[in-house]
């Protein structure tokens, strides 16, 4: 949700708050457990060329997996894997950790060694991301020849970095066949 550029940072802050409140004895500060699934968008949106689909505001096709930009994905995945005992999120953390400053301290504090990584290839080929985003991603597989389709429903419009593009879609197969890049440039 919130766009591929801004969503990962928003998710990092939301999961940090959730973990802090959990430490104070509050089991869930959100109305439902949907926050648990926001990093799954990044599992499903990873293209075979090792870049992510874009959604909402974006500065271009620059979200390469396992890069400095994806450290927030790693951080959120690690925390949520511990809160929900989720091996798929642990696998995403292991894929996206970059070794940049602070990451080792985060791993020391938040890593639960009893949670084993699950093989992402065992996940179903499609997932609907419900409220508030309303986004559906379907894949033909997890290999380099996979076709990926992303369809947007937009159950809730926050009029922020997400776009007013309900019904929009993207298709990726060995390159962008149909895309909603979300790309914007600064005004000169």
């Amino acid at each position: 949700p919130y766009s591929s550029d801004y969503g990962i940072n928003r998710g990092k802050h939301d999961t940090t708050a959730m973990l802090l409140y959990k430490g104070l004895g509050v089991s869930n500060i959100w109305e439902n457990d949907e926050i648990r699934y926001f990093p799954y968008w990044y599992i499903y949106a990873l293209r075979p060329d090792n870049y992510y689909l874009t959604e909402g505001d974006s500065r271009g096709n620059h979200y390469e997996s396992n890069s400095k930009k994806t450290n927030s994905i790693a951080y959120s995945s690690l925390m949520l894997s511990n809160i929900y005992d989720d091996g798929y999120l642990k696998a995403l953390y292991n894929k996206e950790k970059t070794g940049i400053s602070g990451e080792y301290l985060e791993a020391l504090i938040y890593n639960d060694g009893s949670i084993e990584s699950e093989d992402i290839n065992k996940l179903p080929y499609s997932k609907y991301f419900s409220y508030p985003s309303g986004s559906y991603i379907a894949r033909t597989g997890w290999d380099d020849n996979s076709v990926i389709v992303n369809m947007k429903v937009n159950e809730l419009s926050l009029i922020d970095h997400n776009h007013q593009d309900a019904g929009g879609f993207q298709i990726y197969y060995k390159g962008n066949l149909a895309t909603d890049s979300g790309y914007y440039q600064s005004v000169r």
Side-chain angles (χ1 to χ4, degrees):
Y2 313 115
S3 85
S4 48
D5 259 8
Y6 298 93
I8 58 176
N9 291 313
R10 170 74 186 266
K12 180 177 181 176
H13 300 306
D14 287 352
T15 53
T16 299
M18 189 174 186
L19 196 62
L20 289 171
Y21 276 96
K22 182 181 179 192
L24 295 171
V26 179
S27 62
N28 191 351
I29 61 174
W30 311 115
E31 290 180 18
N32 58 42
D33 284 338
E34 290 304 316
I35 191 171
R36 169 187 189 168
Y37 298 107
F38 99 83
Y40 276 81
W41 189 90
Y42 295 94
I43 293 173
Y44 280 87
L46 183 61
R47 304 179 329 203
D49 65 354
N50 217 34
Y51 282 83
Y52 289 97
L53 295 172
T54 57
E55 189 169 282
D57 284 353
S58 175
R59 292 181 185 87
N61 187 25
H62 68 282
Y63 273 102
E64 184 175 10
S65 177
N66 196 264
S67 67
K68 183 178 179 183
K69 290 294 241 175
T70 61
N71 186 51
S72 292
I73 298 170
Y75 179 88
S76 297
S77 299
L78 177 64
M79 289 193 294
L80 290 170
S81 76
N82 295 337
I83 292 170
Y84 292 105
D85 192 21
D86 190 320
Y88 294 116
L89 294 181
K90 185 72 167 272
L92 182 59
Y93 164 74
N94 287 328
K95 178 177 180 18
E96 293 299 348
K97 63 184 178 181
T98 58
I100 65 172
S101 177
E103 190 172 88
Y104 298 113
L105 182 60
E106 292 168 359
L108 180 66
I109 294 170
Y110 300 121
N111 190 29
D112 181 344
S114 69
I115 300 171
E116 297 290 326
S117 291
E118 293 285 336
D119 183 3
I120 288 173
N121 293 313
K122 294 179 181 178
L123 285 170
Y125 292 152
S126 63
K127 178 142 181 69
Y128 179 69
F129 299 91
S130 64
Y131 181 85
S133 68
S135 178
Y136 182 81
I137 299 179
R139 311 174 58 99
T140 58
W142 297 103
D143 60 19
D144 289 344
N145 290 313
S146 297
V147 177
I148 306 171
V149 176
N150 174 230
M151 296 160 279
K152 294 185 68 179
V153 177
N154 288 359
E155 289 184 28
L156 174 68
S157 176
L158 300 175
I159 309 175
D160 60 356
H161 298 289
N162 210 353
H163 291 173
Q164 306 300 308
D165 57 356
F169 66 93
Q170 300 180 73
I171 302 172
Y172 179 91
Y173 177 64
K174 297 184 180 182
N176 289 321
L177 299 179
T179 186
D180 175 16
S181 70
Y183 183 74
Y184 62 92
Q185 295 175 320
S186 59
V187 177
R188 296 178 194 220

